[in-house]
């Protein structure tokens, strides 16, 4: 298992998405949480590739949730299993409609918070809670109405709360992710602080683009 994980991390660092998936999918029946969450991440990364067909993307999205779920069953105290379960559950919501997406939101946040409890230094998870807060702060009225029918007290958030998480993520690991810089800028814009928005958007613009996502940012 250790050898496979070492090889997988090397391939992940080299951006070898397809090779990594082919390596890990052979171990989909493993009982090792470390392997399973990596397989969940790898399935999701493959789904995000432009060359992946819509049908394959859907299949991989559902597969990745299954792998993350299995990783959690094998080891509840694995922070990455919680993190990827939250991410994959959110992705599946894109196929199941807005009602399911909002319904799952509370579960997703709980898994992100559990991941942070287990590893307070993981900047990406802190960033993801920021995104969660941002999307609830920005939620349009018709989605709020759906949320009100699903929950006795619907989940809410503010741009101030989102900003706090984006800054916490930046403190945990400065300049770790182009999207965190972008969202710091966007959140300051929402709060009408153009000076701070410009500062962070400039940082996002100057970020050395390595991935497809960096280029989009």
């Amino acid at each position: 298992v250790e050898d496979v994980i070492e090889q997988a991390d090397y391939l992940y660092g080299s951006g070898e998405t397809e090779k990594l998936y082919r390596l890990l999918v052979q171990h989909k029946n493993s009982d090792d949480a470390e392997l399973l969450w990596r397989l969940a991440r790898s399935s999701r990364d493959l789904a995000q590739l432009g060359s992946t067909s819509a049908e394959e993307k859907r299949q991989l999205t559902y597969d990745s949730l299954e792998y993350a779920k299995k990783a959690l069953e094998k080891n509840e105290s694995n922070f990455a299993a919680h993190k990827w379960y939250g991410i994959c559950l959110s992705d599946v919501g894109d196929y199941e409609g807005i009602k399911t997406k909002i319904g799952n939101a509370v579960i997703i946040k709980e898994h992100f918070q559990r991941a942070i409890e287990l590893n307070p230094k993981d900047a990406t998870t802190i960033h993801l809670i920021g995104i969660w807060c941002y999307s609830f702060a920005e939620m349009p009225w018709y989605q709020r109405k759906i949320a009100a029918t699903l929950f006795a007290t619907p989940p809410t958030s503010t741009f101030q709360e989102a900003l706090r998480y984006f800054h916490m993520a930046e403190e945990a690991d400065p300049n770790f992710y182009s999207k965190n810089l972008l969202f710091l800028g966007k959140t300051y814009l929402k709060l009408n602080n153009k000076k701070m928005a410009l500062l962070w958007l400039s940082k996002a613009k100057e970020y050395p683009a390595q991935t497809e996502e960096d280029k989009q940012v």
Side-chain angles (χ1 to χ4, degrees), residues 96-172:
E96 311 229 316
I98 194 71
K99 206 167 173 179
T100 304
K101 207 164 172 66
I102 295 170
N104 285 338
V106 174
I107 304 165
I108 290 166
K109 192 180 186 189
E110 281 167 3
H111 282 283
F112 288 159
Q113 284 172 324
R114 180 79 179 114
I116 290 176
E117 275 169 29
L118 293 163
N119 182 2
K121 286 270 165 257
D122 188 57
T124 322
T125 313
I126 303 169
H127 163 82
L128 289 166
I129 295 190
I131 294 280
W132 190 98
C133 295
Y134 186 96
S135 45
F136 270 91
E138 197 185 38
M139 186 178 273
W141 64 270
Y142 65 91
Q143 290 184 9
R144 288 186 195 280
K145 287 190 87 159
I146 297 171
T149 63
L150 293 174
F151 298 100
T153 45
T156 56
S157 191
T158 61
F159 290 117
Q160 281 88 349
E161 194 181 2
L163 189 69
R164 191 166 64 83
Y165 280 108
F166 294 139
H167 273 299
M168 273 167 64
E170 213 51 43
E171 280 160 29

Side-chain angles (χ1 to χ4, degrees), residues 12-200:
Y12 181 75
S14 320
E16 294 277 4
T17 308
E18 284 153 357
K19 264 190 197 166
L20 175 60
Y21 175 76
R22 284 198 299 271
L23 168 74
L24 289 172
V25 80
Q26 300 169 47
H27 303 277
K28 65 180 182 186
N29 297 319
S30 166
D31 286 337
D32 192 281
E34 289 290 332
L35 270 179
L36 290 164
W37 75 252
R38 281 174 173 80
L39 176 56
R41 177 181 68 182
S42 153
S43 306
R44 183 180 184 269
D45 286 348
L46 191 59
Q48 307 281 336
L49 288 184
S51 55
T52 305
S53 72
E55 194 38 56
E56 283 176 311
K57 184 180 164 89
R58 184 190 168 96
Q59 187 59 52
L60 285 162
T61 302
Y62 279 90
D63 286 350
S64 64
L65 180 62
E66 280 308 307
Y67 301 141
K69 191 173 162 185
K70 197 174 161 196
L72 267 186
E73 285 162 7
K74 298 297 171 195
N75 185 358
E76 196 283 325
S77 58
N78 184 306
F79 94 92
H82 282 281
K83 169 180 167 174
W84 288 99
Y85 183 77
I87 293 170
C88 297
L89 187 59
S90 174
D91 287 348
V92 163
D94 293 340
Y95 291 100
E96 311 229 316
I98 194 71
K99 206 167 173 179
T100 304
K101 207 164 172 66
I102 295 170
N104 285 338
V106 174
I107 304 165
I108 290 166
K109 192 180 186 189
E110 281 167 3
H111 282 283
F112 288 159
Q113 284 172 324
R114 180 79 179 114
I116 290 176
E117 275 169 29
L118 293 163
N119 182 2
K121 286 270 165 257
D122 188 57
T124 322
T125 313
I126 303 169
H127 163 82
L128 289 166
I129 295 190
I131 294 280
W132 190 98
C133 295
Y134 186 96
S135 45
F136 270 91
E138 197 185 38
M139 186 178 273
W141 64 270
Y142 65 91
Q143 290 184 9
R144 288 186 195 280
K145 287 190 87 159
I146 297 171
T149 63
L150 293 174
F151 298 100
T153 45
T156 56
S157 191
T158 61
F159 290 117
Q160 281 88 349
E161 194 181 2
L163 189 69
R164 191 166 64 83
Y165 280 108
F166 294 139
H167 273 299
M168 273 167 64
E170 213 51 43
E171 280 160 29
D173 189 0
N175 223 25
F176 73 105
Y177 188 25
S178 58
K179 205 168 170 185
N180 201 57
L181 304 174
L182 175 69
F183 269 89
L184 275 159
K186 284 175 73 159
T187 312
Y188 273 117
L189 267 182
K190 293 280 186 190
L191 297 168
N192 288 323
N193 186 336
K194 290 201 172 118
K195 190 179 162 200
M196 288 303 284
L198 185 63
L199 171 82
W200 289 103

